[in-house]
């Protein structure tokens, strides 16, 4: 839970601000986008000028959350554009679902250069303490639920659109309530969001029953590489650049694919290695045991949570694969 005094400090920042820039981490997931939409909606209702900004494109299956397209840095505008046009005279920055510089890419470089108040709303354990005020609770299952808590504290009206966005945040960060993070607090908060207009059945169809055929073919390619180690407790799989070209799937379409192998009873932890167009390897790590995969991610400059973490590794694929198999040995062999 967040100290109420901190909510008061966050309010002070918001009340004195005229134009607020809201952003989130690179490769935004459901929690990132849901939290961003939620806080933007509420601030707009309060009469604030709000300028959202994304640091990577939104995966197609989250598009339904956005009424208007949100500009993407390095795609729709350059860093130098952030001092002019719609982004001129910003006097407060809000970061949701992120408190770490590497996760902010080019925006992080700007952030450290300029003296501007920053409000952080986040639930990650890894923190660079980027905020003037930080609403941070690593026990929260999703940042979206911290946004919901902040709205509730202020008794700000919760629209159906906002409730839907925050429900998506909670539902996706808990693997549709399957992870151990889905505790009674999550269900209670989500019940409130449903009462406010979120429709779980509709959201489920939009998120999980709307795959492209290309994504399905990509899943097959990934499963074809699946290998188990250490008495079948560690699962590793990979996707090459060619797999994306051949199937026509987009890079964003790997989200949640790693979880498939956790349906195997013996599997306690897993890695999915994805070869990027520039030759780097993106490693996603998952655990469904006490094994803390963020420890492994951090060794390579990455980060995340105990049960879900990520990092970049040097290529080629075979080298990255051997490195990961070796890293998990200490935990599972
Ligand atoms: Mn999150």
């Amino acid at each position: 839970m967040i100290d109420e005094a901190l909510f008061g400090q966050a309010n002070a920042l918001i009340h004195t601000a005229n134009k607020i820039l809201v952003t989130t981490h690179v490769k935004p997931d459901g929690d990132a986008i849901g939290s961003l939409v939620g806080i933007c909606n509420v601030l707009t209702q309060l009469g604030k000028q709000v300028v959202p900004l994304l640091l990577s494109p939104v995966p197609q299956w989250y598009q339904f959350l956005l009424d208007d397209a949100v500009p993407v840095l390095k795609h729709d505008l350059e860093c130098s554009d952030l001092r002019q046009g719609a982004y001129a005279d910003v006097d407060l920055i809000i970061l949701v679902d992120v408190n770490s510089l590497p996760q902010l890419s080019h925006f992080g470089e700007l952030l450290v250069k300029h003296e501007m108040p920053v409000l952080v709303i986040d639930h990650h354990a890894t923190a660079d303490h980027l905020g003037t005020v930080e609403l941070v609770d690593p026990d929260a299952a999703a940042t979206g639920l911290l946004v919901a808590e902040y709205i509730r504290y202020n008794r700000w009206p919760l629209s159906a659109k906002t409730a839907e966005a925050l429900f998506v945040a909670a539902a996706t960060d808990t693997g549709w309530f399957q992870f151990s993070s889905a505790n009674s607090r999550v269900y209670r908060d989500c019940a409130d969001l449903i009462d406010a207009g979120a429709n779980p059945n509709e959201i489920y169809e939009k998120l999980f029953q709307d795959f492209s055929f290309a994504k399905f073919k990509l899943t097959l390619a990934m499963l074809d590489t699946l290998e188990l180690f250490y008495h079948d407790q560690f699962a590793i799989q990979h996707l090459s650049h060619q797999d994306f070209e051949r199937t026509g799937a987009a890079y964003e379409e790997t989200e949640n694919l790693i979880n498939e192998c956790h349906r195997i009873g013996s599997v306690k932890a897993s890695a999915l290695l994805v070869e990027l167009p520039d030759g780097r390897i993106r490693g996603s790590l998952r655990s469904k045991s006490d094994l803390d995969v963020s420890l492994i991610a951090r060794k390579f400059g990455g980060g995340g949570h105990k049960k879900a973490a990520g990092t970049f590794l040097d290529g080629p694929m075979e080298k990255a694969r051997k490195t990961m198999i070796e890293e998990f040995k200490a935990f599972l062999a």
Side-chain angles (χ1 to χ4, degrees):
M1 288 295 193
I2 288 171
D3 188 343
E4 297 208 338
L6 284 171
F7 284 144
Q9 290 174 27
N11 283 352
L13 281 185
I14 287 171
H15 288 314
T16 52
N18 292 309
K19 196 192 264 186
I20 305 171
L21 186 154
V22 183
T23 192
T24 184
H25 57 80
V26 289
K27 281 199 84 247
D29 54 13
D31 190 23
I33 298 162
S35 299
L36 179 131
V37 169
I39 198 81
C40 285
N41 286 352
V42 158
L43 294 173
T44 306
Q45 277 173 24
L46 291 177
K48 297 290 172 185
Q49 268 185 284
V50 186
V51 279
L53 175 74
L54 285 164
L55 308 181
S56 341
V58 173
Q60 165 266 321
W61 55 95
Y62 292 129
Q63 292 284 358
F64 74 95
L65 294 174
L66 304 174
D67 283 337
D68 304 301
V70 174
V72 180
L73 192 64
K74 292 276 167 192
H75 290 249
D76 304 314
L77 74 170
E78 289 301 319
C79 291
S80 54
D81 298 329
L82 290 178
R83 308 295 289 170
Q84 56 202 23
Y87 293 93
D89 310 319
V90 164
D91 50 9
L92 174 65
I93 294 170
I94 300 184
L95 304 176
V96 290
D97 203 36
V98 64
N99 196 6
S100 110
L101 281 177
Q103 290 294 312
L104 288 167
S105 187
H106 301 287
F107 189 80
E109 293 157 27
L110 293 178
L111 194 70
V112 291
K113 261 190 247 159
H114 297 290
E115 296 254 323
M116 199 178 286
V118 176
L119 170 62
V120 169
I121 309 178
D122 188 31
H123 70 139
H124 291 91
T126 20
D128 287 335
H129 300 294
L130 303 174
T132 317
V133 176
E134 302 196 331
L135 306 179
V136 173
D137 179 3
D139 291 330
T143 296
L145 294 179
L146 296 177
V147 174
E149 209 176 304
Y150 185 41
I151 293 172
R152 202 161 51 224
Y153 167 84
N154 279 302
R155 296 167 201 254
W156 287 330
L158 184 61
S159 71
K161 261 299 213 193
T162 302
E164 177 186 60
L166 299 179
F167 188 93
V168 166
T172 53
D173 252 23
T174 59
W176 201 267
F177 312 102
Q178 293 176 68
F179 302 158
S180 61
S181 58
N183 53 20
S184 60
R185 178 180 164 191
V186 172
Y187 281 95
R188 237 174 249 126
D189 288 347
C190 283
D192 288 343
L193 296 174
I194 294 168
D195 287 342
N199 184 333
N201 175 252
E202 223 175 71
I203 293 170
Y204 186 85
E205 282 181 19
K206 283 177 185 161
L207 290 180
F208 302 107
Q209 298 184 317
D210 195 28
F211 284 8
S212 67
F213 188 27
K215 177 168 174 153
F216 236 81
K217 286 191 275 196
L218 191 75
T219 310
L220 285 175
M222 177 195 73
L223 291 176
D224 213 28
T225 69
L226 178 63
E227 274 194 83
L228 302 184
F229 291 86
Y230 313 130
H231 304 288
D232 299 346
Q233 294 179 100
F234 175 57
I236 187 162
Q237 48 204 332
H238 62 267
L239 285 166
S240 69
H241 182 49
Q242 289 91 307
D243 288 325
F244 290 89
E245 284 189 341
R246 186 174 50 78
T247 58
Y251 270 88
E252 304 90 69
E253 292 190 284
T254 55
E255 199 192 0
N256 293 325
L257 281 196
I258 188 172
N259 299 324
E260 284 299 315
C261 66
H262 284 264
R263 295 206 258 176
I264 302 169
S266 60
V267 169
K268 289 189 172 158
S270 67
L272 170 60
L273 305 178
V274 175
E275 185 189 25
L276 301 177
D278 64 10
R280 280 184 311 162
I281 309 289
R282 194 182 72 216
S284 303
L285 311 177
R286 293 288 182 278
S287 165
K288 65 167 185 189
S289 59
D290 293 336
L291 196 161
D292 181 353
V293 286
S294 73
L295 295 177
I296 296 173
R298 259 179 247 165
K299 268 180 84 169
F300 297 90
H305 308 281
K306 272 182 174 179
K307 306 221 167 208
T311 189
F312 289 104
L313 298 158
D314 292 330
M317 181 60 81
E318 197 42 43
K319 183 178 155 221
R321 204 176 149 275
K322 285 206 176 103
T323 304
M324 273 303 113
I325 294 167
E326 199 52 38
E327 283 299 325
F328 279 85
K329 193 178 196 171
F331 296 94
L332 294 169

